[in-house]
């Protein structure tokens, strides 16, 4: 059963950096066609933080522009979110979402399990 496995979350100080990863497991012929990172803070709705299209066009929420960067590896099996200059309001559980493709099969949309990020002031 293919799934998205997230890693990289944790505790970071104000102004610090973290890199989240979202990997297709087990390794197969599925590739990430497009995807995004979402986050959900306590008591709030899940929101889109960053997205990347099949053509590598990226979009960011206003509050993270110039601080966060979404990317994929060359094999298109891992999605990343580089987070710099982190602020306490970035504290949330972060989820990846990706559309997986493979030849002659329908697109498979999956969510990662979520990874918590805590920014201390």
């Amino acid at each position: 059963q293919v799934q998205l496995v997230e890693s990289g979350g944790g505790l970071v100080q104000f102004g610090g950096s973290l890199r989240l990863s979202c990997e297709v497991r087990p390794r197969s012929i599925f590739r990430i066609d497009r995807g995004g990172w979402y986050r959900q803070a306590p008591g709030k709705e899940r929101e889109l933080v960053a997205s990347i299209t099949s053509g590598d066009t990226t979009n960011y929420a206003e509050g993270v522009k110039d601080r966060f960067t979404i990317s994929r590896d060359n094999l298109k099996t891992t999605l990343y979110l580089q987070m710099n200059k982190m602020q306490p309001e970035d504290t949330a559980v972060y989820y990846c979402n990706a559309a997986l493709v493979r030849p002659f099969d329908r697109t498979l949309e999956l969510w990662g399990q979520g990874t918590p990020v805590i920014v201390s002031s």
Side-chain angles (χ1 to χ4, degrees):
Q1 184 85 359
V2 65
Q3 56 183 335
L4 296 176
V5 178
E6 299 182 35
S7 60
L11 177 65
V12 63
Q13 291 188 334
F14 177 87
S17 298
L18 279 178
R19 187 175 82 156
L20 305 182
S21 299
C22 172
E23 185 179 7
V24 178
R25 288 189 190 172
R27 288 295 180 94
S28 66
I29 61 172
F30 277 107
R31 294 294 179 264
I32 296 174
D33 182 61
R34 60 191 183 277
W37 286 94
Y38 294 72
R39 67 186 180 188
Q40 187 166 18
K44 295 187 177 181
E45 293 187 354
R46 190 174 298 189
E47 62 174 354
L48 178 63
V49 174
S51 64
I52 185 167
T53 68
S54 57
D56 289 330
T57 298
T58 57
N59 284 286
Y60 299 93
E62 268 309 311
V64 306
K65 282 182 180 177
D66 301 322
R67 297 191 299 121
F68 290 10
T69 302
I70 187 172
S71 63
R72 282 179 298 192
D73 69 330
N74 289 336
L75 292 177
K76 296 186 178 181
T77 59
T78 306
L79 199 62
Y80 299 104
L81 184 68
Q82 177 66 43
M83 304 184 290
N84 300 324
K85 301 178 183 178
M86 297 189 72
Q87 305 166 2
E89 48 266 42
D90 295 323
T91 295
V93 178
Y94 283 71
Y95 299 88
C96 64
N97 172 267
L100 305 185
V101 296
R102 66 178 178 179
F104 312 111
D105 202 350
R106 62 182 178 88
T107 300
L108 186 64
E109 183 169 339
L110 296 177
W111 286 90
Q113 82 279 12
T115 185
V117 171
I118 300 173
V119 184
S120 63
S121 56

